[in-house]
Amino acid sequence: MLVGCIADDFTGATDLANTLTRCGMRTMQIIGEPTGLPPDTDAIVIALKSRTIPAHEAVAQSLAACRWLKQHGARQIYFKYCSTFDSTDKGNIGPVADALLDELGSDFTIACPAFPETGRTIYMGHLFVGQVLLSDSSMRHHPLTPMHDSNLVNVLARQTPHKTGLVAHDVVKQGAKAIASAFADLQSRGIRHAIVDAIEDTDLLHIGEAVAKLALVTGGSGAAIGLPENFRKRGLLPKRRKPKPLAPVGGGGVVLSGSSSAATLVQVAAMKAKYPARAIDVVELSVNKDKLVAEIVAWALSKLQSCPVLIYASALPDKVSEIQLRFGREQAGAMIENAIAAIAKGLAQAGVRRFVVAGGETSGAVVSALGIKGLEIGAQISPGVPATLSYGEPRYALALKSGNFGGTDFFAEALEALK
Ligand code: ADP
């Protein structure tokens, strides 16, 4: 293993695994705490669900993952978080990065959530989402990690007792040598975390080269694109072509959507226009979950002989607010996640093996319900979302999509990609 990665959520882990695979690394994703020996891979991404749990728990889980990765030969550790730097003043990016630095006996790392392919860029330490600052984007309304400050140097400074600094774009664009000397300068001034500007992939490649000797790199999935080349130069990573195709699992395909993000709502509308679709009635769900789940499973099975189906809880913001007011935000979320997980389990017991899941938390619930411990990563379906195949028996073909990823026809494209 060359790179050992710790991701703070499931779809983020898949996103990073996708990036590394596309850059020629054989990559495996492990769900939750790893056990046993890792297979022969270049990179392992351990998917935690640690983004919004208490900081001390995120630290403990991340340290356990780091120790396992180091014990099994990882030469560099990568801590992956969201490209919109999802966090609060309590953490968890700062506390986890500090703990990992201590564990690795190091005192400097970078923080670079840029992902230009999906419109996340950093300039003068400020994070942009498309054409607007992070604090003007829909992330300001995020239920768990509302982002009101776009200046990442300041955001991170509130999460760590150590000094934070910036490597600005005028340095980044000069290339790896200039960036590495900026790192040395920051370190000499006692700075432990450097936000690094990046507005295009060339910047990320320069940054990748400059971090070759760092024990810990932190960022979104974009900042990983420069890492494989460091290992190739050292003769540790052969040139590989595309990932080998995933083994087919066959049978009907089901789309499960528990995301109400803007991109998902468009995708749900497009899928509904083509294929049978069933909305999960949250009020009915609250009255008799088991009956509703059984009904939906039977409905899906009756259609799957001839075409794929969509099952969704996704709703417009005012409908979501109404449900949250009635049942409580977290309770409503958990109730829907549990129902979608139970539907997935019911369908799996009836032999369904192909699932497209929309929503980070929803994907976590489904993958756990199916008892999946690891994923093999295949070709990219859309930026940030690869086709995957579960390890163990039975094998499932899965596409796990974070809410705001994918174009209008993502669901149909994903079903096509999952053989
Ligand atoms: P995303 O990746 O878009 O953030 P997630 O699955 O991570 O999607 O989170 C969406 C959350 O919203 C889940 O907890 C889900 O159960 C909840 N949810 C989905 N549909 C509704 C709805 N109609 N009303 C209230 N909550 C909902």
Side-chain angles (χ1 to χ4, degrees), residues 258-261 282 313-315 320 323-324 332-333 336-337 358-362 402-403:
S259 156
S260 293
S261 293
V282 184
S314 318
V320 173
I323 296 287
Q324 288 179 335
I336 295 165
E337 284 171 38
E361 297 297 327
T362 310
S402 159

Side-chain angles (χ1 to χ4, degrees), residues 11 142 257-261 264 280 282 313-316 319-321 323-324 329-330 332-337 340 358-363 401-404:
T11 44
H142 193 280
S257 178
S259 156
S260 293
S261 293
T264 306
I280 297 173
V282 184
S314 318
L316 289 164
K319 182 85 200 291
V320 173
S321 306
I323 296 287
Q324 288 179 335
R329 185 190 299 273
E330 276 158 26
M335 184 165 67
I336 295 165
E337 284 171 38
I340 293 180
E361 297 297 327
T362 310
S363 295
K401 185 194 85 85
S402 159
N404 273 320

